[in-house]
Amino acid sequence: MRYLLLAIILWANPLFAQKNIKIDRSEAKQAYEYLNKIRTNPEKYRRSLQISNINKVTRTKLSWNNKLAKAAEYRAYDMANRNYFDHTNPEGIGPNFYIQEAGYDLNKDWLKRKSNNNFESIAANHESGNDAIDAFIIGHGSPGKMHRKHLLGMDQWNGSLQDVGIGFARVPRGSTYKTYICVIIAKHDW
């Protein structure tokens, strides 16, 4: 909880307000709805998103989870605020830790290392959440198209994930990128 308190202090500190970072919850919700449309009807998006193996897409809807959204918003905000882009913050702390801190209980094995990431996809510099979802799924520059597997549940592990939270941050100035998006798709246990 001390990291969550630190996050709140940093977020509320006027010194950091100079970048005017805005968490865009409307954009995050639109991305969530769009992702579920793709998951439930991949045939419709097969060509535009270059999905050649649609038979592997998990066709179940993800459930919005406010605790995961809180963790995703924090991650997007922190990257924008401290001008980095990575699954671990500059102190080496990864998403699993922040998911647990937000109150979404994870299996203790997933928390053994503070740098662990079993549930997060991140992107930067996309005009909208939907554009970011497209980029994740198309997967240019993503070895093995891991974001596609994660978002569409295209393997046994990712297909078992049920809950989602998305954070979308806009940064008018002071960061390398103008937007940061964090998509966390998780489950409590195996």
Side-chain angles (χ1 to χ4, degrees):
M1 285 306 259
R2 68 176 179 256
Y3 289 100
L4 191 54
L5 182 58
L6 175 63
I8 292 168
I9 291 168
L10 288 174
W11 201 340
N13 189 329
L15 178 65
F16 294 106
Q18 295 173 9
K19 291 183 179 182
N20 293 323
I21 300 166
K22 179 185 179 225
I23 295 297
D24 192 334
R25 291 188 176 114
S26 172
E27 201 65 59
K29 283 290 192 150
Q30 287 176 32
Y32 159 70
E33 291 166 6
Y34 180 55
L35 176 57
N36 269 334
K37 286 178 184 176
I38 297 166
R39 284 175 68 107
T40 57
N41 188 8
E43 294 84 5
K44 180 177 177 180
Y45 301 92
R46 178 184 203 144
R47 284 201 169 188
S48 63
L49 298 178
Q50 304 167 19
I51 307 170
S52 59
N53 48 355
I54 60 170
N55 59 326
K56 291 186 177 183
V57 175
T58 300
R59 293 166 192 264
T60 57
K61 284 187 176 184
L62 295 167
S63 298
W64 184 263
N65 183 282
N66 287 328
K67 292 175 182 177
L68 293 179
K70 186 165 103 175
E73 286 177 357
Y74 172 74
R75 292 278 301 129
Y77 181 90
D78 191 52
M79 286 187 285
N81 188 44
R82 297 202 288 164
N83 198 27
Y84 71 94
F85 182 73
D86 202 327
H87 288 293
T88 58
N89 70 11
E91 293 76 37
I93 301 172
N96 289 13
F97 177 83
Y98 291 106
I99 292 167
Q100 182 76 22
E101 284 288 303
Y104 188 94
D105 292 326
L106 296 176
N107 181 296
K108 299 300 177 214
D109 288 340
W110 303 334
L111 300 167
K112 287 184 178 176
R113 290 191 342 235
K114 288 207 179 204
S115 62
N116 280 358
N117 173 27
N118 297 89
F119 307 109
E120 178 186 79
S121 288
I122 57 174
N125 239 19
H126 295 283
E127 276 299 310
S128 70
N130 288 7
D131 290 344
I133 297 296
D134 286 350
F136 282 136
I137 293 171
I138 292 169
H140 295 303
S142 175
K145 303 206 185 290
M146 294 308 295
H147 291 125
R148 175 186 292 189
K149 289 177 185 175
H150 179 226
L151 270 64
L152 298 182
M154 296 180 76
D155 57 25
Q156 185 176 359
W157 168 256
N158 289 300
S160 73
L161 306 179
Q162 308 153 352
D163 299 323
V164 65
I166 299 175
F168 192 90
R170 294 187 184 279
V171 193
R173 63 184 172 280
S175 288
T176 302
Y177 304 110
K178 298 294 182 197
T179 64
Y180 294 80
I181 187 171
C182 176
V183 178
I184 298 175
I185 304 174
K187 65 179 178 179
H188 291 288
D189 209 340
W190 48 60

